[in-house]
Amino acid sequence: MNAQGQQHGGRDEGGHVLPEDTFPRTAGEPIPEPKAPGSGASGLLKSSAVMAAGIIVSRITGFLRTLVMAAAIGVGTLSDSYQVANVLPTMIYILVGGGALNAVFVPQLVRAMKKDDDGGEAYANRLITLVMVVLAGVTVICVLAAPLLVHLMSPDIAADPQRMAVTVTFARYCLPTMFFMGAHVVLGQILNARGRFGAMMWTPVLNNILIIAAFGSFIWAFGGFTDSRVSPSTVTPEGVRLLGLGTLLGLAVQALAMLPYLRDARFRLRPRFDFRGHGLGKALGLAKWTVLFVLANQAALTVVTQLATKAGSLAERAGYTGSGITAYNNAILLWQMPQAIITVSVMTAVLPRMSRAVQDDDVTAIREDISHGLRTSAVAIVPCAFAFLALGVPMATLLYAGSGAEGAQGIGYVLMAFGLGLIPYSVQYVVLRGFYAYEDTRTPFYNTVIVAAVNAAASGACFALLPPRWAVAGMAASYGLGYAVGVGTAWRRLRKRLGGDLDGSRVLRTYARLIAAALPAALAGGGVAYAVTRAVGIDALGSLVTLLAGGSVLLGVFVLLAHWMRVAELRAMVGMVRGRLGR
């Protein structure tokens, strides 16, 4: 959900469509032959490293952003209002095509680059124009319908007039960000198809910086969450306006920052309205299944948001903070970091290569890429999943110390519950890229229906059976449970699609060895963390000491055991790092 994840579109700073000659070529200059992005192991590693570096910086600044947000508006009902408003544009954007842009159009862009005389430039411009027109219309409708959307997302908020008014105001500032999300993604995918992977990963840093500035200014002007003025009933209209405009400006700048990268790629950005007869119909036909895929996912997200918001309100009335949708969103932001840095980086570079292998009917290469993606990502994903389980509380009490000890602990418990679900979540991401390389969007939809149904049903059971303080932690565990059920189905279907084994024995052997190394490491690290916490407490300094002690033990035991078990992928990763350090 969070996530997350994941905006511009051929416009200048005034919002006008850029003219045809914005990025001129010299007369008679040939169109560059499209390169195969990430072809070869060295190219793939380089592309993945560039993206991983950008994601790391983006996630670090993203954590700083959440820390400043927690210091500004806390993790209680005011923060829940902002979170509900801020998640709306992401949900709607993905519903109207964001999932298709991420999954469907890279193979289409690669096909156009390979077969069209202009290297796919006209096709890409038609795609940009279509996306911008659709998103502009949807944005206007959603801004007008903001009260209805907030009510659908959280009837609990709608029942409180003061919370409802604040949330609707936040939503009307946040909803236009979906236009810039779409622009950023479609331009980023055009660059990805041309082997330029860095821009999409680095530009979100600008968004984080601007939001940090907005929430920092809010603290300076109106006081932080400990101030009596900062609550849904007392926050000033000027304060809401500052936070809303800061959120909108951050996404706008993130989108506009892609334009220099397009110019460097010698891509001429211009509007094209001649949609018919140029292949977009096929892409839209594929995209309909991705829209349904996202609809199923977002239906589950809506259920969880409503239940978590209600549980947070009930818990706060009982005297507990950090037990609502804000705790869920803050925890998932931490939890998804390894996935974003490792798995997404690897598979973003691999997908264009897999799409080319499909064009060449090279099934063996596709199997090898999927196996490589699973085994390479597992080296980081498996130990991180166990680290969240063992050290989730000190992680949260360190990073969210500014939101109060109890609220930070609540986030930590939710993070622990997410923990092990990171493994099936990562596996599912890799496996679905196999279907997308074949331009098969129907199968991922059916698989996601299973995941969403399990997630929603288990979350409902947690809300009904657990005390409000622990209900959201149960919902976090339900998220991983849904993916654990879905992975088995996706694996069998992809294996059948490729007509043979997916290197399954090798993949399972790698995961089994990594889990066998991570489990005792987590027990040792968690035990040390528990002992240190009892000695030094859970304030920021104590949490730092706890995390350093427990994390060092966990990492040391894991590396020793994995080395003893001869996990080849870990040795390869260590060798690559040593090589980059000149050793």
Side-chain angles (χ1 to χ4, degrees), residues 95 287-297 445 448-449:
L95 282 174
K288 72 180 181 183
W289 290 105
T290 306
V291 172
L292 293 173
F293 169 107
V294 172
L295 183 61
N297 227 348
F445 160 68
T448 298
V449 169

Side-chain angles (χ1 to χ4, degrees), residues 116-135:
D116 294 355
D117 293 336
D118 66 347
E121 187 171 286
Y123 180 90
N125 274 310
R126 293 185 188 99
L127 175 60
I128 295 170
T129 305
L130 179 62
V131 170
M132 293 299 94
V133 169
V134 171
L135 284 178

Side-chain angles (χ1 to χ4, degrees), residues 205-263:
V205 175
L206 299 174
N207 176 30
N208 290 333
I209 290 172
L210 286 170
I211 292 179
I212 288 170
F215 278 82
S217 299
F218 180 92
I219 295 173
W220 177 77
F222 302 103
F225 79 100
T226 56
D227 194 299
S228 60
R229 294 173 293 171
V230 184
S231 69
S233 60
T234 57
V235 65
T236 66
E238 293 78 11
V240 174
R241 188 180 306 120
L242 173 60
L243 300 181
L245 286 175
T247 303
L248 177 57
L249 181 62
L251 265 297
V253 170
Q254 174 180 305
L256 293 172
M258 297 290 283
L259 299 181
Y261 291 96
L262 285 174
R263 181 170 184 172

